[in-house]
Amino acid sequence: MMSQMPQQAAVSKCPSCEEPLESGDRFCGACGYDLSAVPPRPDGHPAVAAGGAVPAPAPAPDGVDWPAARDSDGQGRPVPVHAAAELPGTDSGGSPLPPPPAAPPVPPSAGVRFDRPGEPEEYPLQAPDPRLDTAAAPRPDSPAAPAPGAKVCVACRAGRVDDDGYCENCGHAQPRERDHMEQESGPVAAVSDRGLRHHRNEDAFSVGCTALPDGAPASVAIVCDGVSSATRPDDASLAASRAAGESLLTALPRGTHPQQAMHDAILAASHAVNALADEPATAREQGPHQNAPACTLVGAVVTAGLLVVGWVGDSRVYWVPADRATPPARLTEDDSWAAQMVAAGLMSEAEAYADDRAHAITGWLGADAYELEPHTASFKPDRPGVVVVCTDGLWNYAESAEEMADAMPLDAAVRPLHGARVLVGHALDGGGHDNVTVALVPFPAVPQGAGSA
């Protein structure tokens, strides 16, 4: 008996090179492809005859004559196509099918997820937020958990900080030391913060306590604000605050009158800032149009019965009595364009400070200052209170004496560090557009060792 050959598939073109074939060809005449290896088409797939026409379907099993599908709706429009889920169906008994289970939501194809967590309204500050008294404790299971006493990352609160100033856990760059500073010296306290808009802190302060020749206590506070349009304003404020503070703490124990000591301290600060302009010739050649370092200064000396203030620029001193039923007062006058307009009677205070030129200063410490005119004044308050020494980064948000008194806690005289933190927080809550520095000095001066509760 002859062996049965595989039935040749009915194809019109070679599957390999698409060369036209003739009926009965077993091999392609162009490439030699074995046409007997072409599998037969499945029964459910209509065969395509020569010319591309689709032959009429074979009768359905069981003798059911299914109607042919229409190509159009009779008006020249294609028949709409429906998905199976859009049409009602019945089971084998003719009853309606139960609704399908709800499918999980499918994300949009554009690649945008709408189920991600919402973004925070505020991002963590680069420096610790002074409005918070405590910070979250680091996790002991962190891979880079700091050793006891080591510096902790301000971002993740868990990793230790390496020598280059980066967190070994999250890689966050740590704030510079001057971004946020706090100091408490006996009953005097000061806080300085970079604010929310500046990339660095150009303010500086100096606080301290000493004793007069008769043993009476004396408290000292100096606050300086670097002039941002000048070169190295942060260096200028730091040099001025240190020089003025050291001058006062040296002169007062020797018996120098506090008002004279304040005048001399401002001159010492001026010399320190002027010295910063003595740069080598190569530095001047690289930046010939840069102006000299500059800053403003304001300070206060408090003794048992005397309050002395001194200033150059637009930083201020406020007096807030402990008895809030009595009025507070501002003790300094700005060296500014707005103050000059008001003093000359050309504008009201509201009009002057609403002008864009209001904060242009007319007095400062620096080698290019027109003329140094240290201002000093003495007061003898008849009641206890708190002396507020601050930069415009604070008083921009509490300009009047009444506003400053309202922003300060009632217990600031016995908790000056807490009070200073609250005032800095007040400026940050208001917008924090500038560096913020404030020192609080209770009056009358109290012996060293008394301070925040």
Side-chain angles (χ1 to χ4, degrees):
M1 184 173 64
M2 297 179 58
S3 61
Q4 185 177 358
M5 300 294 297
Q7 184 180 0
Q8 179 183 330
V11 291
S12 59
K13 291 184 180 180
C14 173
S16 175
C17 64
E18 297 189 352
E19 182 72 15
L21 302 174
E22 294 182 3
S23 178
D25 285 347
R26 296 176 56 193
F27 297 93
C28 174
C31 67
Y33 187 83
D34 184 2
L35 299 176
S36 63
V38 179
R41 292 185 178 273
D43 295 338
H45 194 287
V48 180
V54 179
D62 301 330
V64 179
D65 187 13
W66 296 104
R70 294 182 299 158
D71 316 7
S72 70
D73 59 0
Q75 299 181 1
R77 293 189 299 268
V79 175
V81 178
H82 295 279
E86 298 176 0
L87 301 177
T90 60
D91 59 16
S92 58
S95 301
L97 294 174
V106 180
S109 59
V112 180
R113 289 179 57 115
F114 293 93
D115 58 343
R116 60 187 176 188
E119 296 290 339
E121 294 182 359
E122 292 186 4
Y123 289 90
L125 297 178
Q126 190 178 22
D129 191 339
R131 293 167 289 186
L132 304 177
D133 288 338
T134 58
R139 295 173 302 167
D141 59 344
S142 171
K151 189 174 181 181
V152 180
C153 174
V154 302
C156 68
R157 303 287 187 186
R160 58 177 171 262
V161 179
D162 61 20
D163 295 337
D164 295 328
Y166 290 87
C167 175
E168 296 180 354
N169 182 42
C170 67
H172 188 92
Q174 301 303 293
R176 288 164 288 196
E177 182 180 359
R178 288 183 63 178
D179 282 355
H180 184 84
M181 300 179 292
E182 297 183 358
Q183 184 178 348
E184 189 173 24
S185 179
V188 188
V191 176
S192 181
D193 192 82
R194 177 174 55 91
L196 305 180
R197 302 299 178 89
H198 279 228
H199 70 285
R200 65 179 176 184
N201 189 1
E202 297 171 356
D203 290 356
F205 64 81
S206 176
V207 294
C209 296
T210 188
L212 302 179
D214 61 358
S219 302
V220 172
I222 297 291
V223 169
C224 296
D225 185 354
V227 178
S228 296
S229 59
T231 306
R232 299 162 59 195
D234 51 339
D235 291 341
S237 63
L238 184 61
S241 63
R242 287 178 174 175
E246 292 172 359
S247 177
L248 285 170
L249 294 177
T250 301
L252 291 173
R254 293 177 179 174
T256 306
H257 189 277
Q259 190 164 356
Q260 182 62 45
M262 177 62 74
H263 182 274
D264 296 344
I266 296 176
L267 294 180
S270 176
H271 295 325
V273 177
N274 291 347
L276 297 177
D278 296 335
E279 299 173 337
T282 53
R284 290 195 296 271
E285 291 173 0
Q286 294 173 0
H289 302 294
Q290 292 183 339
N291 48 13
C295 69
T296 66
L297 180 148
V298 66
V301 175
V302 172
T303 67
L306 187 66
L307 165 59
V308 173
V309 299
W311 74 98
V312 174
D314 61 347
S315 294
R316 294 179 177 180
V317 176
Y318 292 84
W319 162 254
V320 180
D323 181 6
R324 298 300 176 86
T326 57
R330 195 179 93 193
L331 306 182
T332 57
E333 293 292 337
D334 300 342
D335 288 325
S336 67
W337 179 90
Q340 284 190 345
M341 294 297 103
V342 175
L346 299 178
M347 302 176 73
S348 68
E349 187 170 359
E351 293 172 338
Y353 281 99
D355 194 283
D356 292 339
R357 298 165 288 182
H359 289 276
I361 57 175
T362 58
W364 62 88
L365 303 180
D368 60 353
Y370 296 120
E371 184 178 355
L372 178 60
E373 296 182 1
H375 310 291
T376 61
S378 296
F379 303 89
K380 292 184 177 180
D382 60 355
R383 65 201 67 198
V386 178
V387 180
V388 182
V389 186
C390 66
T391 62
D392 60 344
L394 171 59
W395 67 253
N396 278 332
Y397 301 99
E399 186 169 348
S400 70
E402 291 75 17
E403 291 174 325
M404 185 65 70
D406 290 341
M408 193 172 68
L410 296 175
D411 62 350
V414 296
R415 300 179 64 197
L417 181 58
H418 170 73
R421 289 170 175 166
V422 170
L423 289 176
V424 169
H426 176 78
L428 298 182
D429 290 339
H433 286 73
D434 200 355
N435 305 145
V436 189
T437 303
V438 57
L440 298 186
V441 189
F443 178 91
V446 296
Q448 296 188 42
S452 296

